[in-house]
Structures are given as C-alpha cells and as structure tokens.
Amino acid sequence: MKKEIKIKNQVGELEKVNAFIEEIGEELQLDMELLMNLNLVMEEMVSNVIFYAYPEGKTADIELSAECAGHTLTFVLSDKGREFDPTMKEDIDTATDPADRELGGLGIYIVKNIMNEVTYQRLEGKNLLTMKKDLED
C-alpha cells in the first residue's frame, strides 16, 4: 500500500489529512486507538508546518505520503518551508506543571511516544520528516 496527499498550508486542510488517515486505517484495518493516535501525530506535525514553516501569507504545498511494507507503516511529511528539525527539540519534562513549561515541544513529544521511529532530513531544499509505526505490537 502506498498513498499520497498534497495539501496547502492552511488550517482548513487538516480535515483532508484526517480523511487520509481514516482511509489508511480502513484499508489496513487498524484499531480505533491506533487510528486516533496516528491522527493526533499527523495533525500535530502538519499543524507545525502550517503555522511555522512559511512566512505569514505565503501559500505553499505540503505533502504527506504513507506506505505500508511488512508490518511497518511509514509516513513522510515534506515541505519546502524554513529548515526545522523537530527531532532535535529536547523532550519536555512532563513532571513540570504545564503552566510552568515553555510553550511548544508537546507535539513532538507525543509523536515520539506514539511512533516507533522519527527521523528528519533536509534534502534539496525540503524538510522530510519520516515517522514509522510498527503495526505488530
């Protein structure tokens, strides 16, 4: 299975991402909890690109691909926005009161906890965030 979706960097496009994940979930017969977690991960990461990758007012494409090989589901999120490696963000201290925490970082923390592997590379002017989930738990 291999699927791809291209969206614009606008909040309204998150619905398309959601539908994309639902479609994959149906095709692979994923359980509801995993599906909700994958939705959360993609929403977090796509939102980051929408809100932070481009200067305000600039419309650009964001691509999300999904591929399932064996028992591994791999998502690759790519954009041509400013370079940002979310995997370099230090894990937040969940023991700290949320009110005392710095803003940000929770999204990537969630992603790292849900996915089995998260890697980043900058290639030919593109941010490529690869997120893998082992479907055999």
Side-chain angles (χ1 to χ4, degrees):
M1 179 222 78
K2 189 172 173 65
K3 287 183 178 311
E4 201 170 290
I5 184 176
K6 188 183 276 195
I7 61 166
K8 296 288 177 207
N9 59 333
Q10 289 149 354
V11 179
E13 298 278 82
L14 285 170
E15 284 174 29
K16 291 181 185 171
V17 174
N18 201 294
F20 180 69
I21 302 299
E22 297 280 326
E23 214 176 277
I24 292 165
E26 259 175 50
E27 201 169 305
L28 298 176
Q29 297 180 320
L30 303 177
D31 68 60
M32 202 43 146
E33 187 185 352
L34 177 57
L35 199 57
M36 285 169 57
N37 282 337
L38 290 175
N39 249 324
L40 178 64
V41 164
M42 295 314 142
E43 203 168 286
E44 281 295 332
M45 293 298 94
V46 173
S47 294
N48 277 355
V49 175
I50 290 171
F51 293 125
Y52 307 116
Y54 297 96
E56 208 170 315
K58 181 174 174 18
T59 303
D61 290 329
I62 300 169
E63 290 172 15
L64 179 62
S65 68
E67 188 172 356
C68 191
H71 296 288
T72 306
L73 180 56
T74 304
F75 290 93
V76 178
L77 179 63
S78 75
D79 67 86
K80 292 182 178 165
R82 67 174 65 100
E83 187 170 348
F84 176 65
D85 181 354
T87 64
M88 294 307 289
K89 193 133 178 62
E90 222 172 276
D91 283 346
I92 58 165
D93 180 3
T94 52
T96 309
D97 182 333
D100 298 332
R101 256 190 245 140
E102 258 184 72
L103 263 181
L106 190 58
I108 190 65
Y109 175 80
I110 291 168
V111 171
K112 284 179 180 174
N113 275 290
I114 291 174
M115 303 307 274
N116 296 92
E117 193 183 315
V118 181
T119 54
Y120 168 87
Q121 28 177 193
R122 180 81 179 183
L123 229 70
E124 295 166 9
K126 277 186 173 181
N127 291 307
L128 296 173
L129 185 66
T130 304
M131 298 160 281
K132 294 183 179 190
K133 182 67 182 168
D134 188 351
L135 300 179
E136 245 190 5
D137 277 337

